[in-house]
Structures are given as C-alpha cells and as structure tokens.
Amino acid sequence: MESAKYVSQKISKTRWRPVSYSSLQQPDIFAIGSWDNEENKVSVWSIGNLGSSGLEDGFEGDPQLICEYEHYGDVLDLQFLDQERIVTVSSTGAVTIFRHDQNSQTLSICKQWARAHRYPCDNAPSTGVACNSPEIVTVGEDGRIIVFRVDQEAVVRVIENADSSTLHAVTYLRTTEVLTVNSIGQLKLWDLRQQSNSPSQILSLSRDRVPLYCVDRHPNQQHIVATGGQDGMLCVWDVRQGNMPFSLMEAHSAEMWEVHFHPTNPDHLFTCSEDGSLLHWETSSPSEMPSFLQGGRNSSMTSRSAMAPAGGIQSIISAWLYGDSSKSRLETTHMLPSQTLSVNSLDMLGQCLVCGTDGEAIFVNRQVPV
Amino acid sequence: MEEVDVEPTVTNIPGIGHGKHMGFAWGPGDILVYETHFKPSGLTPSGPGGSFIHKVRKDEDINSPILRKLFNESHHIFVGLQTIKDDLPSKSKRPQFVSISRNYRSVIRACMEELQQVAAVSTRDTEMGTQYGNQVSILLAIELIWNLCEVLFIDAAPAGSLLLHLLDWVRLHKADVDEKAKDVLQSDSPAEHHNYWDVVVSYVLQGRLEEARQMLVKQATLQPASRNMYKLMDGLLSKMPFYNPGGTQTLTEFDVKWRNWHEEVDRYLKDNTFASNRHLELICKILVGDEDTLLEQKELLGTWYHFLVTRLLYSHPTVKPTDLHYYAQSCLTMFLDSRSVQEPLDSILLAAFEFDIYLVIKDCSIVLNNWWFVAHLTDLLDHCKLLQSHNLNFGSNMREFLLLEYASGLFTHHSLWQCAVDYFDHCPELGRACLELQIERVPLDTERKALKVLRICEERQMSEQVRSICKIMAMRALRNNRLGSALSWSIRAKDAAFATLISERFLQDYCAKGTFSDLDLIDNLGPAMLLSDRLTFLAGKYREFHKLYGEKRFKEAAKLLLSLMTAKIAPRSFWMTLLTDALPLLEQKEVIFSADQTYELMYCLEELTSSIDTAAAGGERPMQEEDVEQTKVELLRLSLARNLAMAIVKEGTVET
C-alpha cells in the first residue's frame, strides 16, 4: 500500500471512474465524497498517469485533486453513472447527478431531485444508490425505494414503505431486479416489473437480526451475493436457494461498511470496516480440487472451466458458497497498515484499489495481486 | 491557587458596547459571551441584553484545513506510541521514542511546507496571507523547540555526540545558507558572486567544513598567487577532528586530538599566516573560537542559539549536557545586548538548555495558540519517564491535563471529534468521564453517524450513553412515524419502557386501521420480543392469534384469544379490540366458543363495561364516540347470547 494522502475531509465514499473494458487500461481517475464536515464536497482526483510517463513502476506519487464541488449534506453514497457523470445521495435526502467535464476539468450539477427521500415534516437521509444507466435506484432511512431515469424530471416509481426499518444499501441483481439490505438483517429482492409494493423474496440472517450495511453481487454468477453488517461477518448468499446465508465468515471486529467482488476476477473480494481494516479475500482451490469449484465464466479461467463437467449451471458452484470450509481454501490479507479510524469505502478496478477513511486519508494501491 | 504567571491577554468582543456587563458560560473548548442588562445598582442580572451570543476560542488553529492534516496524522502516531509496552527496559525503548519524535517532526515539516506553498499563492489576499504566514512561523518555532527537546531529553545525547546533534539542529533550522549557496553556484563565476564569502563563512559557522573546502577551491584557482595560503587553510579545515560516537575512539582521545588541532590553528593565527587575506583570517579566527569575531558575524548567525552552537563547536566540542545552561545563558546575554527584550521563544529554548522541562511546557502553553504541541510533547516525554511525580493541584497529572485540553478542543470540532476519542482513552483518570460527557452531545444527523457513535460507546461499555443515543434515535423515528425503526432502536438499547410505548402505538394503529404495519419487523423479532411484556403480547401472542385465524384454525385461535384476557396478558385498554376480534368467531356457523368459554367472555365484557361506566361517569367523552362504543357492546352481547344458546344446545346434544 502506498502511503496515506491526507485530504482534510472525512471520506465517506471512493469510486474509480470506469474504464472501457475493451482496452486493458488501468483506472487513473477516482471520485470521493465527504461526510461530517461543515461543508461537504464531491471531488475528482487523478493518480497522476497524465503527465509523468517516465516512472512506470506504479508509484508515480500522490493523488492530485482535479476539481471539486460543494455537496449539501453528507455524501452517503456515490456511483459513477458513466465516464463523466456521478450520482450522489445525501443525508438531506437529495439525489444529485454531477457532471465531470473532462475538457475544462470542472464539476457541475446537471440534475438534482431535492428531498427525494423524506418524512412528512423532515428530511430523511438517503443511504444508497445503484445505477444501471439510464436508470437509478435509491434507498433511504425512510424505507422508500425510488426509481429515477436520467432523462426524466419526474420520479419513475416510488415503493412506499418498502421496509419498516432503514434500508442501508441497494444493488442491481439483474436489469429488472434490485436487492436491498436493511437494519434487521434482511435481504429483499424486488422485481421492478411487478406493480406490487412488496418484495418478491425475503432472505434473512436467522433470528439475530444483525443489521446489514452493504451488499454486492457476484459479477458473473448473479445468484451469488455477498453482504456485511454490524457484526463484521461476511455472508455469502445464494438467492436461488433457501432464505438463509450459504456461508458466514469471520471478517472484521466492527461494522463492515462495504463489500466488493473484483469486477473482472471474482475469486477476489474486498471488505472494509469501522475497525480500521481492509481485507482482501481470495478463494482458490487446491490443485487436487476439481476446477469447477472455481468461479464460472471468468475469462481468465476459461481454460480451466472448459474442463468442467457438462452438468449445466447447477454443478458449477462458486467457491464462495463454501466459505472457509475444507472444500476450498480462503485466504485473507490485510491491505492497510495498522489503523484506528474507520475505513468507510473502497473500490477496486483492474489492479487498482482506492479507499478512504475517517482519519481523512486516502490510500491508493496500483499493484493489487489479482 | 497558583499565581498568575503572565498577565492574561485582553480580548475585546466586537459588538459589545464599552461599559456594558457581560455574562458568560464555559464550553469545552470555548467560552460563550453575551451582553446582559446588569445595572451596577440593580438587584439581579436579567438575562441577555444584546441579540448576539459570541463564541470566544483560544485554540483557533483547530479550524485550519491544512492543520487538520497535522491533527489526523499525529493522531496516528500518538496511538502507535501508546501501544509501546511499559515493561520493556527503558534503554531499548529509547530508539523507538526518538523515531516517534522524528515522525512527529516530519508531520510538522510536511504541514509547514504545504502552508508555505499556500501562503506563496495567496499573497494577494493579504489577510489570508498573514494568517498563513503566522501559522508557518508558529510551526517553525514548534519544530525548533521539539527538535531541541528531542536532542536534550528524549535522545539525551552524552558529551561528544551532544554537539553533533546540536549542529544538526542548527543546520536544519538555518537552511537559508543552502538557498544562497545554490544562487552562488548557479552564477557564471561563483567565486566572484557577492554572496560568495557569506556562504563560505556560513558553512564554517555551521561546521560544514567539507562544503566550505569545496567552495574555497573555486577561489583558490582564481588566485594562483595565494595558492599556498589556500592550501594551508584547506589543510586546517580537513584536519579538524570530529567526534565519532560509533567509533573506537574515546572521548579523551578525541579531546587530545582536538586540542592539538586547536593549538595548530592558534599558532597560524599568532604567526599572522593569513594576515594578507582578510577572509581567510576571519575563517581562522572562527576556527580558533574567537568570541568577538563570532559576535561580528551576527548577521550570518541570525540567532543566539546558532552562536551558542558555533561557539561550542570551536571552543568546547566535548561539552557536557549539565554545562550547557551556563554557555546558553552567556551566549544569550552576549548576543542580545543591543536588544533588551527576550522573545518568548528565547526563554523557552533557554529553559530547555537548562533542562527545565516543566518551564518549557508551561511557557509553550502560555505562548502558543494551540494545545497540539504541548499535549503531544508532554505525552512523549512522559513515556520517556521524564515527568514522574509532577502533580498539578488541579485535575490529574500534567500529561493528562494537557491531553484532555487538546482532546476537548478536538471534540468541539465538527469533524475531528472522532480523533479525540483515542486521546480520552489514554487518559486513565478523567478521560472516560470527559468522553462520557462529550459523546452524548455529538449531533446525530444520520443513522450512519449514530452507528459510529454507538460503536464508540459500546466498545467502552458506556451503557448509559448507549441508551441515551438509542433513545434519541428512537424518538426521532417515532416523531417521523417510523415505528419499525423506533422499535429496532429501543431493542438495541434494551429499553423496555420505550419498547412498551412503541408496542402501544402499534396496537393503537391496529385498532384504528384494522391492519398491522411493519409486519416484516414484528414477525421477525425472535427473542427480542421478550424485552417488554407489551411487546411479547404484540409480537408473540397477538400475532399468533392472527396467524391461527389466518390459517382458519379457529378453535385454537379462540382459546388463545380468551386466555389473553383471562390470564391478564393483554392490557385492559386492549380488551375491547380483542372482544371485537372475537365477533367473527362468534358469528361462524359452527360453534367455536364453548359455553364455559362464552361465560368467560361475557364476564370479561361486563368487567370492561363496568370500568368504562365508572370512567365515563367522571369523564367527558364525546357523545358520538360513546354511541359507537355502546353499539359495539350491544352487538357483542347479542352475539355472545346467541353463541351461548348454540353452545348449550350443542353441548346438550348427544351426538349419534
């Protein structure tokens, strides 16, 4: 890990700007959102591949601020909609689309839905956003799920009382289905094609009601979902089977704030936590293990998955579903030096990792072994 | 009470008229000040007079965005320092402490460099420029003092290496020589540059003899006539012995060697070897440690402590730590004769040379406008076991007192409060109490923030605070009509009373609407429902009745419903609803309530109506509501009577 860059703001979110998948390019631009400052900001940073091409060992120096824009309220979630647009949700309940103009290197607001999440007589913080351009889905403490379209002023759809407790995160499972997690340990699956205001499926974490704070979907096998919550455990679920988690793994000693599968190499997974740690998880099957335990249609695995028996999708069971059992090997590595304040967010793209902390530091690692 | 050391500074509050009386209230890091109506002859002050409340703060640096990096980064170092085990012998810990001290200083330096850059950019905005300039000079002073304390107290260098460390200290803080040298070397003919000799002499004054020799070579090539003289000087400079703490040479051996060299220099001076070149003669006089010559170089030395170190270098290179204060005092007096006043920095450094740690810390506390420096330095010195048995007659010991001041300041900051928690943790006596008082007052805008605050409290078993924070969140959820959230929060706090209150709200909502809200939560409470009787009733029994009813298991449903009343599980206020729930069961074709059960239901109804009547006698319920209630009761009586009839008939019939 490269050394910390202190940025004088508590960081709630860090996200890489997407790169086109056709090129084998590494990301070089990321956005951060701040929270709990008197004036919060969204800012765009470069890790400096722009001018200095002389150094090619991956340590070109500190991230440099490109541009920033004031953000009303805490940035509670932030996602890139595409290469130049960023969606944020705020503690004021607002949903905002920022545009990063790459010619003038400026940020500006191109659309805003103020008080999208609200109580009858107060603002309700919006806690999560998922994008599937042109569609945007947000969730909030008010228990609403709201669907927007980038090209429409009006809200497309609101699911009132989608949850009686707070919804903490949302992600797309398929183009028409989203998955939410709430503060009583439930995963709810919503089919946006259905007009009813009730979930098509509820999965829950036994009877302990441990609040869940983050969720991510396996990039290739869409039925596999990872979540993390208050007890810092990593849960892997198979939404097709049962309504209990498939495996539970000890991870952090405090709240897990984010979990991310590596977008192109899903044998790797990353989690960060209030306990100040960032973990890199890697499943690998010992060589004598059948190769079909490896993740499915992953391109780097094509040669091996070609050996998989022709028993259809059912037989290709992701190694993640076995957790830390004897059937697969799971290795975890700490990615940060000892740290005390919470790591609130991380993002992984290619070989590059970026994360941000309550200690107002950003860490970038350009050579994660994945 | 201790005496006041210095007259306190007067801060005028703009907007409060002259001669008005002010009221004030202490805050953790600041004071609130307001104008009152107090009249000198009057009886009591009658509250605020002006429409403004002013906030007065001593530690203004806390709001500087660049200094925030200092606070965050040093927080990290501080926490690392606290984890160094106490049981290790102090000898083996010393290198660790020195490296921690260096880490602190490098953070200060990084901050200073950034401030300098910003200050350079913002020269147009004079006010900001001055502010940045001030901060830079404060950081410079802080780093200077810290470095000296590191040499004298933390590293505690013995005679011999002491001087080497002091030389490093001076070189680091008198870096303008390097700037000048760069100018000179980059010019077309360095030897003719107007600053050339200044640079050479400065090098010599700082004991950087290798660099001085390289510069002299340039001059020597220009003056072939005096080549011999330059060669001689070069020889003197190259021969000057420096103590090597890692080598085999003892201090006495070094001393003998140095004295021989010194005598040699002295001989050349007496022989007037360099008399024909005033520059070389000057250097020779410096080498011999001539005080008057040194004092003539005031411009180049800049400060009395540079003078001190140069004087030691060329007269007493084996100075002992205990003798330092003598030389320091005399150098200060010699150097400052033209300036009558000592600056605060001078007396702080002097106190350090006198090894008076307490005076250093005290003076720094008075002079500096932030607590950062004294808190961190004192903490480090305390870890080095240099501050034992110094108790203040207020608060706890000095380390804790200063850390608490600093942490309280951080806690008043909108964002930095999180850093402060670790400082409180490492104040064994009063830290916890302070944290308890402050943590409850953190404004909670979002659940995310509340969760972070809760984690801090739960990790420290601060159950009172956990309850209070959960209650705040539960109240907020309740106000926004989010019963599910409110219940979750009160379950987390194990707050039975509040859970009862919310259960009541659920039941009221049910009475009003006939359906339950938030079933996803209520049906998944698990063991949490045992928190309060009312909650158990709601989420356990009553929901079970609905489930049985929904599954058309009427007999079981009826039995459960009756037992809720007869066993007094249901609150009396809810009986009417329960009886109403019984209506559809009574109206079923098939007999569900037996005769005995119907008697019991009737008894419940009568008990309820009699209590309602007594309540109504003194009450003033609106007529309409009364009517509705009355109709309901009559309907129930009718149904009960009919059911009783059917049940008696059924029970009296022998089935064939």
Side-chain angles (χ1 to χ4, degrees), chain B residues 628-640:
Chain B
V628 173
E629 209 61 13
Q630 202 56 45
T631 327
K632 236 187 211 170
V633 170
E634 273 161 22
L635 242 149
L636 266 170
R637 281 191 179 132
L638 185 64
S639 288
L640 284 167

Side-chain angles (χ1 to χ4, degrees), chain B residues 170-327:
Chain B
V170 159
R171 285 171 192 162
L172 189 61
H173 294 96
K174 192 85 177 83
D176 58 343
V177 189
D178 299 297
E179 297 277 310
K180 269 195 212 165
K182 217 167 118 192
D183 281 351
V184 170
L185 289 172
Q186 280 169 353
S187 66
D188 296 335
S189 52
E192 281 161 358
H193 194 277
H194 63 102
N195 274 335
Y196 172 82
W197 283 108
D198 276 359
V199 171
V200 177
V201 173
S202 296
Y203 277 147
V204 175
L205 289 173
Q206 294 193 357
R208 295 161 71 171
L209 302 185
E210 207 46 50
E211 285 154 289
R213 282 172 61 204
Q214 281 169 15
M215 285 298 252
L216 279 177
V217 169
K218 296 186 195 303
Q219 193 66 253
T221 50
L222 285 185
Q223 302 181 20
S226 32
R227 180 170 290 167
N228 274 342
M229 220 191 317
Y230 278 96
K231 213 169 174 185
L232 216 53
M233 178 52 77
D234 189 62
L236 279 183
L237 290 174
S238 69
K239 270 190 288 181
M240 177 173 174
F242 279 87
Y243 181 63
N244 178 10
T248 50
Q249 192 183 42
T250 65
L251 197 59
T252 335
E253 283 167 356
F254 163 74
D255 198 38
V256 171
K257 227 176 140 191
W258 184 82
R259 272 174 206 288
N260 286 336
W261 173 83
H262 196 255
E263 274 162 28
E264 191 186 347
V265 181
D266 202 33
R267 244 188 343 267
Y268 283 122
L269 195 63
K270 295 226 170 80
D271 295 350
N272 286 328
T273 315
F274 300 110
S276 59
N277 185 321
R278 62 184 175 93
H279 295 297
L280 292 186
E281 175 143 58
L282 169 69
I283 293 174
C284 192
K285 279 182 172 171
I286 293 172
L287 291 183
V288 89
D290 184 67
E291 278 172 10
D292 295 329
T293 315
L294 286 178
L295 277 174
E296 282 162 22
Q297 303 305 315
K298 252 184 202 174
E299 293 263 311
L300 291 181
L301 287 168
T303 56
W304 65 271
Y305 44 89
H306 192 341
F307 170 53
L308 165 70
V309 175
T310 308
R311 187 179 156 205
L312 290 173
L313 174 66
Y314 295 115
S315 329
H316 312 280
T318 57
V319 64
K320 291 197 205 86
T322 42
D323 295 336
L324 260 184
H325 70 99
Y326 159 74
Y327 296 110

Side-chain angles (χ1 to χ4, degrees), chain A residues 5-10 12-13 35-38 74 76 91 119-123 125 127 140-143 161-168 182-184 186 188 202 204 206-207 209 211 213 230-231 253-255 257 274 337-342 344 358-360, chain B residues 63-69 72-76 79 114 413-419 422 443 445-449 451-452 455-456 458-459 473 476-477 479-489 491-492 517-529:
Chain A
K5 165 86 178 174
Y6 288 86
V7 294
S8 296
Q9 45 186 327
K10 283 160 87 169
S12 55
K13 288 291 158 185
W35 80 286
D36 203 30
N37 298 296
E38 265 170 307
D74 294 348
L76 288 184
S91 58
Y119 300 124
C121 40
D122 201 358
N123 293 340
T127 52
E141 285 186 17
D142 56 357
N161 274 324
D163 209 299
S164 59
S165 59
T166 295
L167 287 170
H168 286 289
N182 68 13
S183 57
I184 54 171
Q186 294 170 327
K188 292 183 179 174
I202 298 182
S204 78
S206 70
R207 298 237 123 191
R209 308 170 51 259
Y213 300 135
Q230 185 177 284
D231 57 1
S253 60
E255 288 84 353
W257 292 128
E274 180 74 19
S338 75
Q339 251 249 226
T340 53
L341 292 181
S342 170
N344 290 328
D358 274 344
E360 309 190 344
Chain B
N63 289 318
S64 151
I66 292 169
L67 290 180
R68 267 174 85 158
K69 298 180 185 181
N72 272 303
E73 215 169 339
S74 56
H75 162 258
H76 193 57
V79 174
E114 191 173 344
H413 189 274
H414 195 276
S415 317
L416 294 170
W417 58 273
Q418 257 174 316
C419 282
D422 285 307
D445 316 313
T446 61
E447 271 194 30
R448 174 66 69 105
K449 191 168 176 185
L451 291 170
K452 283 176 182 275
R455 167 65 58 180
I456 290 169
E458 281 173 354
E459 270 175 2
M473 296 309 287
R476 177 179 304 170
R479 204 173 54 231
N480 290 317
N481 224 5
R482 299 276 300 153
L483 294 185
S485 264
L487 186 58
S488 290
W489 282 110
I491 289 172
R492 179 152 182 181
S517 57
D518 304 329
L519 282 181
D520 54 348
L521 172 71
I522 295 173
D523 287 348
N524 281 294
L525 283 176
M529 73 165 78

Side-chain angles (χ1 to χ4, degrees), chain B residues 448-465:
Chain B
R448 174 66 69 105
K449 191 168 176 185
L451 291 170
K452 283 176 182 275
V453 177
L454 267 181
R455 167 65 58 180
I456 290 169
C457 297
E458 281 173 354
E459 270 175 2
R460 290 160 185 78
Q461 278 95 40
M462 291 158 58
S463 45
E464 243 339 278
Q465 285 67 31

Side-chain angles (χ1 to χ4, degrees), chain B residues 6-67:
Chain B
V6 282
E7 277 302 308
T9 49
V10 175
T11 309
N12 285 310
I13 313 292
I16 292 192
H18 184 72
K20 296 278 187 178
H21 279 83
M22 292 193 296
F24 73 94
W26 289 105
D30 36 31
I31 307 171
L32 297 179
V33 176
Y34 52 89
E35 201 178 301
T36 66
H37 283 309
F38 181 80
K39 295 180 192 73
S41 57
L43 299 166
T44 44
S46 56
S51 53
F52 291 104
I53 293 177
H54 305 268
K55 199 167 170 178
V56 185
R57 168 172 293 168
K58 186 184 179 205
D59 192 345
E60 65 209 20
D61 287 349
I62 209 131
N63 289 318
S64 151
I66 292 169
L67 290 180

